[in-house]
Amino acid sequence: KHDTPLLDELEKGPWPSFVTDMKRQAETHPECWDILGQLELSYKDKITHWKHGGIVGVFGYGGGIVGRYSDVPHRFPGVEHFHTVRIAQPSGLYYSTKNLRGLMDLWDKYGSGMTNMHGSTGDMIFLGTRTENLEPLFWDLTHNLEQDLGGSGSNLRTPSCCLGESRCEWACYDTQDVCHHLTMHYQDEIHRPAFPYKFKFKFSGCPNDCVASIARSDFALIGTWKDDIRINQAAVKEYIAGNYPSNAGAHAGRDWGKFDIKKEVIDLCPTGCMWMEGGELKIDNAECTRCMHCINVMPRALKPGKEKGATICIGAKAPILDGAQFATMVIPFIEVSKENEYENVIDVIEQVWDWWMEVGKNRERVGETMQRIGLPNFLRVMEIEATPQHVREPRSNPYVFWREEEVEGGWERDVVAFRKKH
Ligand code: SRM
Ligand code: SF4
């Protein structure tokens, strides 16, 4: 045990404290006293005492375990090695209690028993074990629990998805199935780092994007639809009459009777494509950007259309190197079909990888490579024709370069005759 006056302060507030949890854990796993001791020292010294990195892993895999060592092991031998193990989660994070118990028993046996459920990529993170425990842990994990390590390093990271069709009526494709299928399909890419840097897949069933794929993944597959939003006009009337609770009300905390469709739906539509006419709600679907606001607020009256698929956005990332960025919409609509085993989605992924593995610089995320060469060039690489939806904002500089083959009649064309013709 160590004296931890600074950490003890954290137990005094109204909230449950991780310090209390760690003290309880230390009763059965004494190395946890050393975590507390080392953390107390970090609070005092105002610097971390974890040494960065070092390659550790299991035979045949290049990712899945992050090496952690203490820089003061003589004082805290329990955390001399304290590696982090990433365990791939089931799609949609569905576990049986039997499976969870198995995992916790495994971690009690080989590690500190401390977990981070879940890490933000989606893995179960097992915090703290020694190098010599890794192979036996991996054997039991794969043989007894039939689970696997996730990704770390310059590889495909553990794919993650929203729970999609299993519980959510807005899902436009089966996110769990795609996530599982691609995880199995890309085992090599997940376990053996061969990319310039990390690459993340995330799958959201609709534009609500519950896994925040547009902000956090190099390849985001976001469910959408092609045809019109389905409207149940009778249900619209019930909302207006205050007979159905609207989701806007749930947030505003006011009574249901006062639902104001103009204020809470029509006026908030980002493209202004909705209006009331003869007691009915009308939508100009050509102008709809699939923001989901109206559907979220009046779920009994509105539903996504029937022609469902997904939008592909590429290149989100956090701030290291070139700054944080959202993913760029690259393919507005793609069919997502189990029948062809997602072949068309796989084709897009591999077109991106073939190019990025060739031209991406070391530690350059695909979004940064795209930025470096420019979106028009990236679209050419992807063999995609530019559409107005690719334009992020109106052009602000006058230097636009066309290639001769893109100009009807080439450089020698007769401009006057061309104008007359058009
Ligand atoms: Fe991360 C690096 C932990 C999700 C962006 N991240 C690291 C390192 C390896 C840094 C380090 O050596 O200390 C951390 C390893 C800690 C350890 O000992 O295990 C680390 N990142 C995590 C986790 C564990 C935080 C968490 O508790 O949730 C998450 C992974 C758990 C999991 O597998 O489920 C984790 N990291 C993310 C996310 C969110 C996501 O994946 O949805 C991001 C932002 C999205 C993105 O990928 O850009 C993220 N981590 C980074 C970056 C910045 C990359 C960039 O291009 O800007 C780094 C720095 C780097 O790679 O050198 C980084
Ligand atoms: Fe449902 Fe859409 Fe959220 Fe997936 S992203 S859980 S489909 S609301």
Side-chain angles (χ1 to χ4, degrees):
K1 279 194 188 181
H2 306 276
D3 281 340
T4 53
L6 295 172
L7 287 177
D8 296 348
E9 286 297 312
L10 299 177
E11 295 186 278
K12 293 183 183 161
W15 307 106
S17 168
F18 72 93
V19 177
T20 312
D21 285 349
M22 277 162 67
K23 285 180 180 169
R24 198 177 53 202
Q25 185 67 9
E27 300 296 336
T28 51
H29 290 73
E31 69 267 33
C32 292
W33 292 123
D34 281 349
I35 307 177
L36 290 162
Q38 180 172 304
L39 188 58
E40 179 78 14
L41 185 66
S42 284
Y43 279 22
K44 236 168 79 194
D45 295 349
K46 299 192 169 57
I47 190 171
T48 180
H49 283 288
W50 294 117
K51 273 201 287 194
H52 186 268
I55 302 290
V56 286
V58 293
F59 193 63
Y61 279 28
I65 298 167
V66 182
R68 291 284 132 188
Y69 298 92
S70 168
D71 70 359
V72 276
H74 50 289
R75 291 177 65 181
F76 306 107
V79 293
E80 181 188 18
H81 299 195
F82 211 69
H83 310 317
T84 303
V85 183
R86 294 185 173 173
I87 314 277
Q89 80 284 10
S91 286
L93 309 180
Y94 285 100
Y95 297 89
S96 66
T97 46
K98 182 169 174 241
N99 176 232
L100 275 178
R101 281 182 216 289
L103 286 162
M104 293 309 112
D105 288 346
L106 181 78
W107 194 229
D108 266 338
K109 185 170 168 196
Y110 293 114
S112 73
M114 284 205 313
T115 64
N116 163 8
M117 292 277 283
H118 294 84
S120 50
T121 311
D123 295 290
M124 279 173 284
I125 310 291
F126 286 1
L127 295 162
T129 191
R130 297 186 58 85
T131 306
E132 58 272 21
N133 288 339
L134 295 174
E135 287 294 350
L137 167 102
F138 181 59
W139 176 274
D140 286 6
L141 177 75
T142 48
H143 291 76
N144 302 342
L145 298 171
E146 296 185 344
Q147 257 168 285
D148 203 348
L149 296 183
S152 69
S154 293
N155 60 11
L156 176 63
R157 297 303 182 84
T158 316
S160 79
C161 62
C162 74
L163 47 70
E165 287 178 351
S166 66
R167 284 183 58 188
C168 182
E169 72 264 47
W170 292 328
C172 295
Y173 71 92
D174 187 344
T175 50
Q176 286 186 263
D177 194 64
V178 180
C179 187
H180 183 73
H181 184 85
L182 293 186
T183 303
M184 301 312 276
H185 187 79
Y186 287 125
Q187 280 293 296
D188 199 31
E189 286 75 3
I190 291 175
H191 298 309
R192 289 164 203 100
F195 292 149
Y197 198 5
K198 64 185 85 166
F199 196 96
K200 295 182 181 174
F201 289 163
K202 294 195 201 292
F203 307 99
S204 279
C206 81
N208 278 332
D209 196 9
C210 291
V211 286
S213 63
I214 199 158
R216 306 191 300 157
S217 57
D218 302 86
F219 185 92
L221 194 68
I222 303 176
T224 190
W225 62 94
K226 243 186 189 177
D227 51 344
D228 295 351
I229 291 178
R230 285 177 280 170
I231 309 181
N232 174 343
Q233 295 292 356
V236 172
K237 289 197 173 71
E238 295 289 348
Y239 275 110
I240 294 172
N243 294 335
Y244 288 161
S246 85
N247 284 346
H251 297 301
R254 51 135 187 75
D255 82 67
W256 307 123
K258 288 183 195 145
F259 177 66
D260 179 343
I261 194 167
K262 180 167 173 343
K263 190 164 149 231
E264 293 179 24
V265 178
I266 295 175
D267 288 354
L268 294 179
C269 172
T271 65
C273 73
M274 313 180 89
W275 68 99
M276 292 298 293
E277 197 176 300
E280 296 206 326
L281 179 67
K282 303 284 181 194
I283 302 176
D284 179 359
N285 281 277
E287 294 297 326
C288 166
T289 53
R290 303 341 186 223
C291 79
M292 292 294 291
H293 176 72
C294 59
I295 298 176
N296 290 339
V297 174
M298 303 197 298
R300 297 195 201 188
L302 303 174
K303 284 186 196 166
K306 284 184 175 160
E307 264 185 86
K308 294 173 176 174
T311 296
I312 295 179
C313 300
I314 303 180
K317 59 169 293 287
I320 312 284
L321 292 195
D322 258 9
Q325 62 187 46
F326 269 20
T328 299
M329 196 286 295
V330 174
I331 300 185
F333 189 89
I334 188 163
E335 271 166 29
V336 185
S337 153
K338 267 182 217 202
E339 275 75 67
N340 70 5
E341 299 192 318
Y342 312 113
E343 211 175 38
N344 51 343
V345 176
I346 288 173
D347 285 348
V348 179
I349 292 168
E350 296 195 354
Q351 199 152 355
V352 176
W353 282 351
D354 283 351
W355 163 78
W356 179 54
M357 287 174 79
E358 180 99 14
V359 307
K361 294 182 184 170
N362 189 26
R363 285 181 68 85
E364 184 177 59
R365 296 287 285 267
V366 73
E368 286 156 343
T369 320
M370 284 163 68
Q371 218 168 37
R372 178 160 59 79
I373 70 153
L375 187 63
N377 291 329
F378 179 69
L379 293 179
R380 248 172 241 140
V381 167
M382 296 295 294
E383 299 170 81
I384 292 168
E385 239 177 75
T387 66
Q389 286 86 351
H390 287 128
V391 179
R392 195 202 302 243
E393 60 189 45
R395 188 155 52 79
S396 57
N397 82 60
Y399 299 100
V400 177
F401 300 101
W402 301 91
R403 292 186 309 170
E404 185 160 13
E405 61 270 24
E406 291 170 339
V407 178
E408 201 182 316
W411 297 147
E412 302 304 322
R413 76 176 178 191
D414 178 342
V415 178
V416 179
F418 181 81
R419 269 221 205 102
K420 275 190 193 144
K421 190 173 146 205
H422 293 274

